[in-house]
Every structure is written in structure tokens, then in C-alpha cells.
Amino acid sequence: MSEVLSAPQPMGQTGLRGAVVGDTRLSSINGDEGALIYRGLDIHDLARSSSFEEVAYLLWFGALPSQTNLDEFRAKLNARRTLPPSFLAILRDIPRDGTPMDALRTAVSALGLFDKNVNDMSREAQIEKALRLTAMFPSILAAYYRLSEGREPIAPHSTLDTAANFLYMFTGNVPDERAARVLDVALILHADHGMNASTFAAIVTASTLSDMYSAVTSAIGALKGPLHGGANEGVIHNLLDIGEMENVDSWVTRKLAAHEKIMGFGHAVYKAYDPRATELKRIAKEAGTSAGSTKWVEMTERMEKAVWNAKQLYPNVDLYSASVYYTLGIPTTYFTPVFAISRVAGWTAHVMEQYADNKLLRPRANYVGSRGVKYTPIGERKGDVQV
Ligand code: COA
């Protein structure tokens, strides 16, 4: 075979832990203290007092809105929720048995084709795209859900906010205020989170000066994975697999003994309690109490104790969001898409921040492969390469 001067070296992956890709004014995590701020505001204050629309406004414009600002902002979002008929035709045509995350990724990519200003990089056009994307995520997902169930999509409600409108378009019923508020709080908690994998994917794409739809499409692909947003689906599958409270401890012991990762635990940055998990545990209990069963949140708490006792791992955002969504009646394959309904506010904010002070993101890799390999003409190569 080929002559090699230097053989490949062992691979040592760092996962870019601790690397700083640039400056941001949007959100910051203190991993040691378990703290999270959006533009300086504490996540606990936002979760208890604000709404998803206020948070999106805060992320995009830098300050909390006045009542007039907020009313105008809500009206702008509601004016952009309706899916154009030719775009809806695409949702009708794609396979209905696909996963909603794949459908969302395809839909957002297609949405760019319906924007005649797709490559307009002015601030005004960027805000318009961010509004359009944030307004349409719930409509796209609810339409795909209903089509996959063999039912017709429902037009958006003209006045309901993001959380309530999603539940309305999904089920056909205006949700009660408590259910809408539970989802609204979950959306606040997921809106932004420093330089997470999907946000990084978005800004890498934006840094080439590609358009916002392309950047958000990249982000959706990254969010889908089970080590990122996909973990919330994994949590509910685990809870359903465990079935009953008395099985929790033995299940945890078995999984850890088999060196399996348990979804909803551990974090690349937090080495303390994830503040979002504190709020989600609170609303999971509220949602369970008002739905008449706290079984899932209680099992989750038991799992939290068992994992802590065995391995001292803290829960992350996905642990308690699973029982929140399950209690709201959202199908499990829509758990990660609900994360996306919220995170699009953060992705678009980061993309706009990137455009405002752009530098192409182009890191290097540490080459550990062979060097000095002599080219052998095909007729002289001996034996097949084992792949
Ligand atoms: N279950 C079991 N063990 C876990 C774990 C989990 N969820 N998360 C981390 N660990 C263990 C690892 O096995 C490793 O143990 P070891 O040192 O004995 O080998 C140690 O904790 C460090 O894990 P590592 O994967 O290097 O941490 P990380 O900071 O690189 O990874 C995650 C962070 C999020 C990828 C990881 O915690 C994980 O896969 N969690 C499950 C998926 C999830 O919930 N993702 C949502 C994140 S918001």
C-alpha cells in the first residue's frame, strides 16, 4: 500500500468547551452559580413577571417594551401568523409521517423563497424576517400536526399571543388562561441561552452573510439532536418506560451501571442547578395540580434525587419541561419543536447581532491525520481498503 511518513495521531475532542466565539449583549450564563440573565435581567424575574412577547422584544430591541410598544409588537406578530396558501401547499405535499422537527426545518428553508427581500440586509428587513419567523413557527407546526392527523389546519386567532395561539391552532380550542400561561413561561425560559449549539450554528451561517432563513434552518438542524433540544423527548420516553414511581430508582441504577446517559441531566456550562429547571419544576407542579395528576412531575423529582445520589448530576432545562408539555397534552414529537417556537427569538436576535458587527467565523481544526502519503496510481493499488 501507500508509503506513509507519519501515521495518524489519536483524536482528543474538546467540543470547544470554554472557547469564546465573540461578544454578545443578549444573554449570559454563570455556570458555577446557576444564574442566567437576558440583557441583564434575571431569568427568575422574567419567568415570574413577563411574557414571551416581552422577552422577544427585549432580546431584539435591548429593553423591555412599554405597554404601547408591547401592544404594537403583539399586533405585528399576529398580522404575520397566517401561512401563505402556496407555502401551505408545500406542507400538504411533504411526507406526513415525518418528524415535526424535519418538517419545521424544511418549512423554514422554503419560507425564504416566499420572501422577495430575502437578501435585504437592512435592519428594517432583518426585523421583518425575525417577526415573520417568530410569528409563523406556531402556525407551521400546528398546521403540520393537523395535516398529519388527517385534519385541516386552523387559521391563527387574531388576538391570542404566541403560547395561546399555538395551543389554539393545535387543538382547535382556545386554551384556558392557566394552560396558556404555563406554556408562556416555558417559552420565556427557552428563548435564549448564550452560545448554545443551535445558536452557534445560526451565527456561523449568518457570518458568511447568508440570509436569516438559512441561519435559522441551520439552527433547527442543530437543535434537533438528542444532546441538545431533542433531550426533552428523551425524558418523556424514559418516564413512560419507567411507568411507575416504584421503578424509578432501579431504572436509574440500571442505566448508570450500563454507562448510558440519562436525558435531562448534565450540562456543558452549568455546574450548579440550572435556574430554568427551578422554574420549570414549579410550573410542572402547577400544571399537574390543575390537570388533576402530579404523577409525572413526582416521578421526575424522584429521578432527580436518584441521579444526584448516584452521580451528583444536576437536572437541565429538559428534565421538567417534559412533564410540563406532557401535562399540557402536547404530543411527544412536538416537545423539541415547542423549544424551537421559543428559541427562534434568540436565534434571530443573535443573527442580527452578528450582522451588526460581522466577522466570518472560521476556526481551525487540529490535523492529526497522516502526512507525506505518496500517491499510488489506481492500477498499482493492492487490495481493497477496509472501511
Ligand atoms: N447521564 C449520565 N451521565 C452523564 C450525563 C447524563 N445525562 N451527563 C454527563 N454525564 C457524565 C458523563 O458520562 C461523564 O462521566 P465520566 O466522567 O464518568 O465519563 C461526565 O458526566 C461528564 O460528561 P460530559 O458528557 O463530558 O459532559 P459535557 O459537559 O460534555 O456534556 C451534555 C454535556 C449535555 C452533552 C451531557 O450532560 C449529556 O449528554 N446530557 C444528556 C442530554 C441532555 O440532557 N441534553 C440537554 C442539554 S440542555
Side-chain angles (χ1 to χ4, degrees):
M1 291 297 291
S2 311
E3 200 180 309
V4 177
L5 291 184
S6 118
Q9 303 299 303
M11 307 265 268
Q13 300 297 1
T14 65
L16 295 178
R17 295 292 183 278
V20 174
V21 298
D23 295 340
T24 182
R25 293 191 168 85
L26 296 171
S27 65
S28 175
I29 304 164
N30 183 329
D32 294 328
E33 290 178 11
L36 170 63
I37 51 173
Y38 294 169
R39 292 214 183 253
L41 283 111
D42 189 275
I43 194 66
H44 296 294
D45 293 336
L46 290 166
R48 283 158 197 254
S49 310
S50 78
S51 64
F52 172 68
E53 281 69 19
E54 279 183 74
V55 163
Y57 191 99
L58 171 71
L59 290 171
W60 296 352
F61 302 111
L64 286 169
S66 67
Q67 189 62 54
T68 312
N69 294 148
L70 184 59
D71 292 345
E72 283 172 10
F73 188 62
R74 285 176 162 148
K76 282 183 182 171
L77 284 170
N78 280 335
R80 287 161 179 77
R81 291 198 198 280
T82 303
L83 305 177
S86 41
F87 173 72
L88 192 55
I90 294 175
L91 285 186
R92 289 184 194 280
D93 273 357
I94 59 176
R96 293 184 185 184
D97 56 355
T99 75
M101 278 304 274
D102 290 334
L104 182 66
R105 188 199 56 231
T106 304
V108 169
S109 174
L111 199 57
L113 288 163
F114 288 82
D115 185 346
K116 60 182 180 347
N117 297 321
V118 62
N119 293 316
D120 183 343
M121 303 302 259
S122 65
R123 171 81 180 161
E124 198 188 1
Q126 289 173 32
I127 293 287
E128 178 57 35
K129 290 183 186 69
L131 279 166
R132 217 164 162 245
L133 283 160
T134 306
M136 284 190 191
F137 266 40
S139 317
I140 292 169
L141 288 163
Y144 185 70
Y145 169 67
R146 293 187 69 88
L147 289 168
S148 66
E149 294 277 296
R151 290 185 283 168
E152 268 305 290
I154 292 178
H157 194 284
S158 59
T159 57
L160 292 177
D161 278 345
T162 306
N165 227 327
F166 173 66
L167 293 173
Y168 167 72
M169 288 185 281
F170 213 76
T171 61
N173 303 314
V174 174
D176 68 59
E177 262 178 45
R178 216 176 307 179
R181 177 60 189 159
V182 163
L183 185 58
D184 194 35
V185 175
L187 297 185
I188 293 167
L189 294 167
H190 286 81
D192 198 35
H193 205 231
M195 197 40 62
N196 58 90
S198 56
T199 299
F200 185 46
I203 66 160
V204 167
T205 302
S207 81
T208 70
L209 296 184
S210 183
D211 68 281
M212 196 182 281
Y213 299 95
S214 301
V216 172
T217 304
S218 303
I220 296 169
L223 185 69
K224 177 187 159 182
L227 296 187
H228 191 5
N232 57 16
E233 282 179 43
V235 172
I236 200 67
H237 291 310
N238 289 344
L239 288 172
L240 295 170
D241 182 34
I242 295 168
E244 297 301 331
M245 184 69 98
E246 64 259 30
N247 304 330
V248 173
D249 291 355
S250 55
W251 183 94
V252 167
T253 307
R254 215 170 46 248
K255 294 287 168 184
L256 291 179
H259 300 289
E260 282 183 38
K261 281 211 170 153
I262 302 181
M263 295 294 121
F265 290 92
H267 199 274
V269 183
Y270 289 115
K271 301 302 165 210
Y273 210 97
D274 183 333
R276 303 167 301 169
T278 312
E279 296 296 332
L280 283 158
K281 192 196 294 199
R282 174 178 64 80
I283 61 166
K285 284 181 180 169
E286 281 172 22
T289 306
S290 61
S293 168
T294 49
K295 174 181 174 176
W296 301 110
V297 65
E298 283 171 16
M299 276 174 62
T300 312
E301 268 189 303
R302 179 84 187 212
M303 190 194 269
E304 183 189 332
K305 282 198 189 87
V307 170
W308 178 259
N309 290 340
K311 213 162 160 134
Q312 286 75 55
L313 283 170
Y314 289 101
N316 60 47
V317 70
D318 295 306
L319 187 69
Y320 286 97
S321 62
S323 37
V324 169
Y325 303 150
Y326 197 69
T327 307
L328 286 174
I330 296 170
T332 54
T333 52
Y334 281 80
F335 285 14
T336 313
V338 169
F339 189 152
I341 285 177
S342 163
R343 187 56 62 85
V344 67
W347 291 332
T348 50
H350 279 274
V351 166
M352 290 190 276
E353 195 175 56
Q354 184 68 34
Y355 288 149
D357 186 16
N358 190 56
K359 177 92 179 163
L360 177 71
L361 290 170
R362 203 309 188 182
R364 289 177 54 203
N366 179 35
Y367 181 72
V368 294
S370 310
R371 292 187 187 274
V373 181
K374 201 174 142 223
Y375 182 82
T376 313
I378 194 158
E380 295 171 22
R381 290 175 211 160
K382 305 220 171 34
D384 296 330
V385 177
Q386 298 304 313
V387 286

